[in-house]
Amino acid sequence: MKHAKGLFVKVVDSDDWIDKSAGKELLNTIKTLEEENNQVDLVVTNFIYDKVGVVHKKVMKFPFSLPKNRVITWDEVGFFPPGKYMLMHSLCYRRDVLKKSKLVLPKHTFYVDDIYAYKPLPYVNKLIYLNVDLYHYFIGREDQSVNEKVMIGRLEQQYRVTKIMLYKVNLDKVKSKKLHQYMLSFMSIIMTITSVFSLLSKNEYWMKEKTKLWNELKKKKRKLYNELKHSPLGVAVNLPGKIGNKMTVIGYKLSQRLYGFN
C-alpha cells in the first residue's frame, strides 16, 4: 500500500479470483462517479463462498443493508443481519482512505483481512453498493488458513489480530451511530471467533487465554467490554462451566452449517 499509485485499492488473495464482467462494472462505476465529481471512499460488492465440493455456492449480498447503485453516507445504511458483514472480499477502498487511517498490517500474520475490513471504516464518508457478484472466495482446502484445524493451530495470530482491533480503534470517536453499531457488531463476531476456537482447541492454555482476553478488556476498555459481553454473542461465548462451553461449540457448529463459512 505504501507504493500504490491507483485511485482505489482492491485486495485479491492468491487463491481467489474476480469475475471479469463484474470487474468491468466496478471500474466503469468508479470512472463515471469520478467524471461526475461524485466521489466515494468505498465501493461495496458481493462475494461468493466458492467452497470445494459445493454445487450451489453461497453469495453474500447486501440488498437490505445498503441501497443499490446510489452514493450514500453511513447514516443511510440499513440493518446488517447476523452473519452478513462487509469482509475484505466486498471492499474496494479509495487509496487516500487507507493512508488517512494509517493502516499497518502486522507481518507474517494470518487473518489481517479483519483489520483491513474494520480499521479504515471511520475514514469513509461516502460509499456505494453495487449488487454484482465480483469476488470468488475460495474455501474448503485442508491446508487453508480458515480451515478449522489450521485456525486452532494459529490461535496466537488470531489473538494478535483481535487485540489490534480492540485497542487500535477507538469506537467512542466514531461519529455515525449506525457505523458505530455496525463496527461493534463486527467486533463482537471477532471476539466470538477467538473465544470459540479457544474452546475448540480443548487446550487448557487457550481456554485460560480466552478468560484473560475478556478480563484484560474489562480493565482497559470497560465500556467496550460491557457492550461486547452483554451482546447476544458475548453472552453465548461466556456461558459458565463445561456445559456452557459445550453449548457455545454447538451454537458455532449450527452457525457454520447455516452460513457456510470454513
Side-chain angles (χ1 to χ4, degrees):
M1 284 184 284
K2 283 183 181 178
H3 301 286
K5 295 180 180 180
L7 198 61
F8 281 77
V9 175
K10 178 67 183 173
V11 178
V12 184
D13 274 347
S14 59
D15 52 355
D16 300 337
W17 67 96
I18 294 290
D19 178 83
K20 191 173 182 179
S21 59
K24 286 182 178 179
E25 188 167 343
L26 170 65
L27 292 172
N28 288 336
T29 297
I30 290 173
K31 184 179 179 182
T32 300
L33 291 172
E34 290 297 315
E35 289 174 349
E36 294 174 350
N37 199 28
N38 192 14
Q39 297 177 345
V40 296
D41 301 308
L42 173 65
V43 184
V44 181
T45 52
N46 305 329
F47 70 92
I48 301 161
Y49 278 117
D50 217 317
K51 192 167 187 176
V52 174
V54 175
V55 176
H56 301 290
K57 313 291 185 182
K58 187 172 183 62
V59 182
M60 295 300 285
K61 300 183 178 184
F62 310 96
F64 302 110
S65 306
L66 301 168
K68 291 181 285 186
N69 304 319
R70 181 163 65 85
V71 177
I72 61 169
T73 64
W74 289 115
D75 292 333
E76 298 173 80
V77 305
F79 173 71
F80 283 82
K84 282 203 173 184
Y85 296 93
M86 298 180 291
L87 303 184
M88 182 194 76
H89 327 302
S90 300
L91 305 176
C92 184
Y93 285 115
R94 182 175 287 273
R95 179 170 56 94
D96 287 349
V97 167
L98 299 178
K99 283 193 170 185
K100 287 176 184 176
S101 70
K102 297 180 180 179
L103 179 69
V104 178
L105 303 178
K107 294 181 179 180
H108 313 298
T109 306
F110 285 89
Y111 318 119
V112 295
D113 49 318
D114 289 326
I115 303 172
Y116 186 85
Y118 184 77
K119 192 173 187 289
L121 293 183
Y123 298 86
V124 171
N125 294 312
K126 292 184 178 181
L127 62 152
I128 188 171
Y129 167 55
L130 303 182
N131 189 17
V132 294
D133 301 344
L134 177 73
Y135 194 104
H136 285 258
Y137 177 32
F138 184 51
I139 60 174
R141 292 198 333 259
E142 289 186 3
D143 63 337
Q144 199 164 16
S145 61
V146 293
N147 176 278
E148 193 171 288
K149 290 180 181 179
V150 175
M151 285 189 74
I152 291 171
R154 291 176 177 157
L155 265 171
E156 182 183 356
Q157 297 178 50
Q158 179 66 41
Y159 271 83
R160 188 182 308 158
V161 167
T162 300
K163 289 181 180 180
I164 288 172
M165 294 174 69
L166 284 172
Y167 302 122
K168 296 296 183 181
V169 178
N170 187 352
L171 286 185
D172 290 337
K173 291 186 177 181
V174 177
K175 296 178 181 179
S176 168
K177 289 183 180 180
K178 288 192 175 182
L179 177 58
H180 180 277
Q181 186 57 46
Y182 171 79
M183 294 182 71
L184 187 65
S185 180
F186 190 83
M187 194 66 244
S188 180
I189 283 288
I190 300 302
M191 285 292 281
T192 299
I193 290 170
T194 307
S195 298
V196 165
F197 276 90
S198 297
L199 296 176
L200 285 171
S201 73
K202 297 179 181 179
N203 184 302
E204 188 177 344
Y205 172 81
W206 289 117
M207 290 183 182
K208 287 181 179 179
E209 284 296 302
K210 168 187 171 288
T211 303
K212 184 179 174 181
L213 177 68
W214 284 95
N215 289 339
E216 183 182 75
L217 179 61
K218 187 177 182 180
K219 289 180 181 179
K220 291 185 176 181
K221 288 193 172 186
R222 187 62 178 263
K223 182 183 175 183
L224 181 58
Y225 166 82
N226 286 332
E227 289 175 317
L228 293 174
K229 183 72 179 289
H230 298 111
S231 69
L233 288 174
V235 172
V237 297
N238 286 289
L239 294 171
K242 292 183 178 180
I243 293 177
N245 290 346
K246 286 183 179 180
M247 292 297 293
T248 299
V249 171
I250 290 171
Y252 162 77
K253 295 291 185 181
L254 290 173
S255 298
Q256 186 183 44
R257 288 188 178 185
L258 182 62
Y259 295 111
F261 52 82
N262 295 91

